[in-house]
Amino acid sequence: MMRIISLWFIDFSDVLNLPVDERFPGLLDECESTQCKKFYLKKDSNLYYWSHTLRRMVLSYILGIPNEEIGFGTGKYGKPFIVSGETRTKSPFISFSHAGSAAALAVDWKAPVGVDILDERYDLEYLHDFFDVHLSKLQSQVDIAYSERDMLSFAWVRIEAVSKWCGLGVTSVLSKTSHSSKERFCNLSKPITWMGCNEFLFSPSGYHGCLIFSKMHDKRISVSCHHLSLANKV
């Protein structure tokens, strides 16, 4: 039997700045609503609202249960997991990321997953110093032509996705990352296999993303990709 990992990319750019009275009411729980109100900048509050609201809508569809029955807990480093009317063993493993005006959600019923996306407009200058690798040398090893910016973006989402997959947090992963390992994250000619994981790189318009998952003993694994875009009228 094939193991299917669901990967959702959700674009809410057209509705990001809708007035409050034109949004979906009552979908966030009390903790999420409180967090949404804490943001000083309206754009950050809007991003949190839409990304978390749509996460609930997609999970409600996948799980086949009402939104109000879905609850979330977090691990030591903030990795979310589902707490619902179902028993924990029947709930899937999830990972979630949002950036710009989009979000990504990964769902695996068998093992932990990690996903991360990065807006290609994000300032990556500081990553040049962090990775400190010869990107031009690595570019010659890749079949597909990537710019240095693309390579840095993918390197960073790889690290973020690995940290979410293993649940250690970015700081812990980076503390275990030597210079040679940093070069490995930048080298797009070889997939990441850190601690036995597998990867799936994706590039929806305007973003770079990475999905990390456990191969385990499954011989057949498929990543089912879904693109959800909200129209400018809700």
Side-chain angles (χ1 to χ4, degrees):
M1 180 179 296
M2 181 174 290
R3 173 173 151 221
I4 299 177
I5 301 170
S6 296
L7 175 61
W8 291 75
F9 178 78
I10 310 164
D11 178 3
F12 46 88
S13 56
D14 282 354
V15 298
L16 182 60
N17 297 310
L18 277 181
V20 174
D21 59 357
E22 293 185 36
R23 298 178 178 181
F24 299 110
L27 290 186
L28 299 181
D29 64 20
E30 183 177 351
C31 291
E32 291 167 326
S33 296
T34 300
Q35 180 61 41
C36 191
K37 295 174 183 177
K38 287 183 178 180
F39 291 99
Y40 178 75
L41 296 178
K42 184 179 179 181
K43 66 175 184 177
D44 294 330
S45 176
N46 290 346
L47 174 59
Y48 182 93
Y49 170 82
W50 282 110
S51 60
H52 286 73
T53 293
L54 293 168
R55 176 178 70 170
R56 284 185 162 276
M57 295 176 69
V58 171
L59 285 174
S60 177
Y61 168 77
I62 292 174
L63 297 173
I65 62 176
N67 169 64
E68 53 268 23
E69 292 185 19
I70 301 175
F72 297 99
T74 54
K76 181 179 178 180
Y77 295 98
K79 183 179 176 68
F81 58 86
I82 297 173
V83 179
S84 68
E86 304 276 329
T87 63
R88 181 64 187 93
T89 55
K90 292 183 179 179
S91 296
F93 295 89
I94 64 170
S95 183
F96 181 65
S97 175
H98 57 78
S101 55
L105 174 68
V107 180
D108 188 352
W109 287 90
K110 191 167 185 177
V113 286
V115 70
D116 193 68
I117 58 172
L118 186 66
D119 189 329
E120 66 179 14
R121 297 168 296 182
Y122 194 75
D123 184 5
L124 301 179
E125 289 303 315
Y126 72 98
L127 290 182
H128 279 281
D129 295 330
F130 170 76
F131 285 108
D132 188 27
V133 296
H134 298 290
L135 294 176
S136 57
K137 180 184 71 175
L138 295 177
Q139 283 176 312
S140 64
Q141 302 175 23
V142 187
D143 293 335
I144 303 174
Y146 287 104
S147 67
E148 288 194 0
R149 183 175 181 82
D150 288 339
M151 296 181 79
L152 285 174
S153 295
F154 276 123
W156 187 250
V157 295
R158 277 173 150 183
I159 290 179
E160 287 270 11
V162 165
S163 72
K164 294 177 180 181
W165 167 72
C166 64
L168 289 177
V170 173
T171 303
S172 297
V173 171
L174 294 182
S175 68
K176 304 175 186 297
T177 304
S178 63
H179 175 84
S180 59
S181 297
K182 291 179 181 180
E183 181 170 313
R184 184 70 189 78
F185 279 108
C186 288
N187 190 348
L188 300 181
S189 66
K190 298 179 181 179
I192 293 297
T193 56
W194 193 68
M195 294 177 61
C197 69
N198 279 22
E199 75 169 7
F200 176 79
L201 299 178
F202 56 101
S203 300
S205 179
Y207 295 84
H208 294 97
C210 178
L211 167 68
I212 296 290
F213 57 93
S214 306
K215 184 175 182 180
M216 302 181 73
H217 299 295
D218 297 289
K219 294 182 179 180
R220 301 175 65 197
I221 302 176
S222 174
V223 177
S224 178
C225 299
H226 308 266
H227 191 129
L228 176 63
S229 181
L230 268 68
N232 59 4
K233 293 295 183 180
V234 179

